[in-house]
Amino acid sequence: MDEKTVREKLAAFITRELIRDPSYELSDAEGIITGGLMDSFALAELAVYVEQQFGVYIPDTELTVAKMDTLDQVVARVMRGAQ
Amino acid sequence: MTILTCATRLTHRTLLDAVALQPDDDERAALVYLQTDQEPIVVARRDFRRTALAYAAALHKMGVAPRDLVVIAHTQDLESIYAFWGTMLAGAIPSMFPTLTEKLDADIYMRSMAELVRLSDVRAILTTDEFAAVLGGHVPCPVYGSAQLTARVNGGDIDQFTPRVPDPDQIAFLQHSSGTTGLQKGVALVHRAVLNQVASYGDAIQLTAQDVIVSWLPLYHDMGLIAGFILPLVQGVPLVLMSPFDWVQHPALLFRAIHNYRGTLCWLPNFAYNHCARRIRQRDTEGLSAASIRMFINCSEPVRHDSHQLFLERFAGHGVRPETLAVSYAMAENTFGVTQTPPGLAPRLDVVDRVELLNNRYACPVSPDHPNAETRVSCGPPIVGTFVCAVDGKRRPLPERRVGEIAIQSDCMLSGYYKRPDLEPFHDGWYLTGDMGYIADGEVYIVGRSKDLIINAGKNIYPQDIESIVNTVPGVHPGRAVAFGVPDEREGTELVAVVAEVATDDSRQRKQIAAAIRQTVARQSMVAVSYVHTVGPHWLIKTSSGKIARAANRDKWLAEVHKEGAAYTAVP
């Protein structure tokens, strides 16, 4: 899957399921958790989705606010894992 | 060592009789602290006592006197635990608070801490070394970092320090209600009351020395502080503890802990059953067994039968059995537990007529295939020493199955709200909980609340606190915003929704205001708003006295999103 598709799918998932506002215009570098857009529960939810959707397992040690706070970070991690 | 029970209750005078603080040279583990990707830290009772004494001796040296209030605004770790018990060993009164996180607005946190210090006459704040330097300039009392504090004493000081043993009727610690920090009510609990609770609650769960308690719960909340902290350390039952921040991001940590330490007791708020069932990945639980658990105790928010079912389906293959899913109804004002379902039995299910319950406030039993059938989960009978009744609007007791406000009387009640003589917790000797429920066959069923309180993921949230934050967001008509809870099946808890009247019609500007509402609330209150709805002027329904009617506005919003097929209904 190319980066563009991964980014689109992730952005749609985050706005629809985690921010619960599909019309939210999520930018690539904004802090999803630090910006208060979603709870810390969302990290675990994101990990489940990433595994189901892209077959990428992100270990707990990488599921941190510091490493997974922006769309850019999540996309990069998925692309790295998918190779 | 014997477990403290109602029968042996008089062997303990104060919490300083805790097993974990006894001066024998005991190598057994008082607690184990777990962190993702770190080696477990095992603390033997002897080291626990010694370190807590170091904190006590240092506090004493800094002039902290018996009955002074000491706030522990710490990250949840071993240091915060020593600080808590050290404060009690110095005869002073500890109270746990959350620390500043990256999500919170630092200025607002500092201001509310300063307000707390002034209103409650806080003698000192204990925190991490890094944060002590930051907080120090913002509050009118000394702030000590852990290492800075304990560096002030040497081995000799600790040897010579004698614990300041309080009177059983002195305040042991405060539990603070959620809400705007500085204005939070401090629930004051005396040693006698806390020990009554520990003994009676221990009886209710048939606690033994073979139990192992596993907890990720925050210590600034009654369930975490009492069940996941005070109870095991007083009773000498090993405690396996992790940080709530760690667990919420890595929920499998709990199951690894249960497996590795053969955990037998675990308290969880309802949302945690959904969180674990939905978000622990299969490969993270491969080979793990939770069969050692005798009770998972659902507590601190309304219990949902479907959450238990979801949890059972996900973890039955790991040894979780229906009869281990227990329930407790608890509150800080009663120290902790009010009721408890008995060990080894699944909680009773009461199938009642939903319409009768709503319209006539009567829990009328019906068969499960009745068109209005609704399943309510029992919270169990009251623990020994606690008496519960449902009362009507004139505070008269109601017969069985009639819904009223739950009132309690007990030997483990708060002594009062700290430094708030204007607040009287009791009415004719009864504490009115604000929860609505009924009693059937001696067991308590909670069905709702008389107040507008929102319980999100086990945390009590006052809508007025959220509304007052929303009112400060530019673009929102001050005084024209409402916050309420929306039950969510997926999460197994109430989510927070905000509706705010704004002047602009421009959708771009409205989106910006909505984003600002989410950010501002998160940064000022530790609450994530799940739904933000901006509306035009005069949308909100007000009562005849001009107050915003929360329930009516929630119904209006739900009807609107339902009609539009908007975000709320899109969530499975």
Side-chain angles (χ1 to χ4, degrees):
Chain A
M1 209 176 284
D2 62 79
E3 196 202 73
K4 186 164 168 289
T5 317
V6 168
R7 187 176 295 274
E8 280 169 8
K9 278 182 183 280
L10 277 170
F13 174 77
I14 290 168
T15 52
R16 191 182 67 241
E17 299 295 334
L18 303 182
I19 305 179
R20 293 165 189 267
D21 178 4
S23 73
Y24 188 87
E25 286 160 22
L26 183 66
S27 59
D28 293 333
E30 73 179 296
I32 305 167
I33 292 170
T34 53
L37 288 173
M38 54 192 206
D39 255 313
S40 331
F41 308 122
L43 269 183
E45 175 87 14
L46 198 58
V48 171
Y49 174 78
V50 164
E51 190 180 33
Q52 280 171 354
Q53 187 68 39
F54 309 112
V56 174
Y57 174 82
I58 305 175
D60 278 354
T61 46
E62 291 181 54
L63 279 174
T64 62
V65 176
K67 291 180 181 173
M68 300 288 271
D69 192 33
T70 66
L71 187 57
D72 274 342
Q73 285 177 311
V74 183
V75 170
R77 181 61 188 82
V78 171
M79 294 313 292
R80 193 148 46 84
Q83 280 161 13
Chain B
M1 188 230 20
T2 51
I3 290 285
L4 179 65
T5 64
C6 293
T8 62
R9 170 64 187 84
L10 294 177
T11 56
H12 287 50
R13 286 189 79 246
T14 72
L15 289 169
L16 302 193
D17 293 323
V19 169
L21 293 178
Q22 294 321 298
D24 51 0
D25 198 20
D26 199 333
E27 293 282 358
R28 278 175 291 179
L31 64 97
V32 180
Y33 191 76
L34 300 181
Q35 287 166 278
T36 294
D37 210 23
Q38 306 266 328
E39 283 298 309
I41 303 169
V42 182
V43 183
R45 286 178 189 163
R46 143 184 107 167
D47 301 325
F48 180 81
R49 173 186 158 81
R50 181 83 184 164
T51 316
L53 274 175
Y55 276 77
L59 284 168
H60 173 69
K61 206 166 193 178
M62 302 316 297
V64 171
R67 303 194 202 201
D68 281 345
L69 177 61
V70 174
V71 160
I72 299 159
H74 221 296
T75 45
Q76 183 159 318
D77 57 11
L78 285 172
E79 290 172 2
S80 69
I81 291 168
Y82 298 133
F84 186 91
W85 288 88
T87 301
M88 279 205 290
L89 284 164
I93 303 167
S95 187
M96 290 284 196
F97 272 83
T99 186
L100 180 66
T101 66
E102 72 267 27
K103 277 202 263 180
L104 284 172
D105 183 308
D107 286 345
I108 290 186
Y109 181 90
M110 305 290 183
R111 260 186 276 147
S112 63
M113 269 295 158
E115 205 175 356
L116 174 77
V117 170
R118 274 192 297 274
L119 291 175
S120 297
D121 197 15
V122 175
R123 177 65 182 76
I125 298 177
L126 308 186
T127 183
T128 59
D129 291 302
E130 309 82 70
F131 190 49
V134 184
L135 185 60
H138 292 86
V139 290
C141 77
V143 179
Y144 303 117
S146 296
Q148 300 155 358
L149 187 67
T150 47
R152 293 168 196 266
V153 285
N154 57 36
D157 294 328
I158 303 170
D159 291 336
Q160 280 162 26
F161 180 79
T162 316
R164 301 297 189 268
V165 179
D167 183 89
D169 289 309
Q170 279 176 16
I171 298 171
F173 52 80
L174 307 184
Q175 303 199 70
H176 277 83
S177 58
S178 299
T180 318
T181 306
L183 302 172
Q184 285 182 5
K185 292 183 288 190
V187 172
L189 295 159
V190 302
H191 287 269
R192 185 190 304 278
V194 178
L195 288 173
N196 286 343
Q197 165 77 206
V198 169
S200 178
Y201 193 80
D203 276 4
I205 58 173
Q206 295 169 14
L207 190 78
T208 76
Q210 281 69 52
D211 277 312
V212 175
I213 289 172
V214 181
S215 180
W216 59 266
L217 299 164
L219 301 179
Y220 48 79
H221 184 286
D222 61 342
M223 182 168 47
L225 185 70
I226 306 301
F229 184 59
I230 299 283
L231 177 100
L233 292 171
V234 167
Q235 296 278 26
V237 168
L239 168 65
V240 182
L241 189 69
M242 57 207 86
S243 136
F245 293 102
D246 201 355
W247 171 79
V248 80
Q249 292 168 11
H250 315 123
L253 192 59
L254 184 75
F255 279 78
R256 277 197 290 277
I258 290 168
H259 176 89
N260 290 338
Y261 296 92
R262 298 187 167 275
T264 64
L265 293 165
C266 181
W267 283 261
L268 301 170
N270 193 77
F271 83 91
Y273 293 75
N274 293 52
H275 189 54
C276 287
R278 298 188 64 253
R279 304 201 178 111
I280 296 182
R281 292 164 292 182
Q282 291 295 338
R283 80 163 81 171
D284 287 340
T285 50
E286 270 168 28
L288 297 188
S289 170
S292 56
I293 288 277
R294 19 180 227 106
M295 299 172 92
F296 282 106
I297 302 174
N298 193 330
C299 181
S300 92
E301 62 182 331
V303 173
R304 298 177 62 121
H305 183 53
D306 54 1
S307 298
H308 278 177
Q309 294 305 112
L310 196 67
F311 191 79
L312 268 182
E313 278 166 34
R314 170 66 179 85
F315 299 112
H318 298 277
V320 176
R321 305 174 304 279
E323 66 274 19
T324 62
L325 301 188
V327 178
S328 173
Y329 169 56
M331 68 195 60
E333 285 82 357
N334 201 45
T335 306
F336 174 60
V338 174
T339 69
Q340 175 65 52
T341 60
L345 292 173
R348 280 192 205 165
L349 300 178
D350 195 29
V351 183
V352 298
D353 186 324
R354 181 180 349 128
V355 179
E356 273 290 294
L357 192 69
L358 197 68
N359 296 342
N360 298 323
R361 295 153 72 86
Y362 179 64
C364 180
V366 292
S367 73
D369 52 4
H370 188 279
N372 297 334
E374 180 174 277
T375 303
R376 317 283 335 178
V377 183
S378 171
C379 296
I383 63 170
V384 171
T386 294
F387 303 90
V388 178
C389 70
V391 296
D392 67 11
K394 292 182 177 145
R395 296 177 193 149
R396 292 173 304 204
L398 289 162
E400 282 223 332
R401 295 200 164 273
R402 289 281 166 195
V403 175
E405 182 168 3
I406 299 293
I408 55 179
Q409 229 174 26
S410 80
D411 61 1
C412 44
M413 271 284 161
L414 76 164
S415 57
Y417 294 108
Y418 192 71
K419 305 244 175 197
R420 291 296 302 271
D422 55 315
L423 298 174
E424 172 53 56
F426 304 106
H427 303 275
D428 299 328
W430 291 84
Y431 174 74
L432 296 169
T433 61
D435 293 314
M436 304 299 287
Y438 64 91
I439 294 163
D441 293 330
E443 300 203 354
V444 177
Y445 295 81
I446 303 298
V447 301
R449 286 183 291 281
S450 65
K451 296 178 274 194
D452 286 328
L453 183 74
I454 304 166
I455 308 184
N456 166 254
K459 281 181 303 211
N460 290 354
I461 297 166
Y462 295 91
Q464 51 272 38
D465 289 344
I466 305 295
E467 288 158 6
S468 68
I469 297 169
V470 174
N471 284 331
T472 65
V473 174
V476 174
H477 279 301
R480 306 287 301 182
V482 65
F484 46 81
V486 187
D488 188 273
E489 199 177 314
R490 184 180 90 178
E491 300 300 328
T493 189
E494 280 186 314
L495 299 178
V496 181
V498 166
V499 180
E501 287 186 5
V502 297
T504 177
D505 274 342
D506 180 70
S507 72
R508 177 107 220 126
Q509 282 180 14
R510 279 197 175 192
K511 274 182 190 169
Q512 281 165 358
I513 295 170
I517 289 173
R518 286 175 184 274
Q519 281 155 8
T520 312
V521 173
R523 292 186 59 75
Q524 297 191 18
S525 71
M526 304 218 311
V527 171
V529 177
S530 294
Y531 302 104
V532 180
H533 193 48
T534 52
V535 293
H538 311 300
W539 188 97
L540 290 175
I541 303 164
K542 292 205 166 191
T543 63
S544 51
S545 58
K547 281 191 189 160
I548 290 192
R550 294 195 184 92
N553 283 301
R554 178 178 61 193
D555 292 346
K556 183 173 177 181
W557 176 75
L558 283 171
E560 251 183 42
V561 291
H562 189 66
K563 204 166 60 195
E564 290 166 7
Y568 176 62
T569 48
V571 176

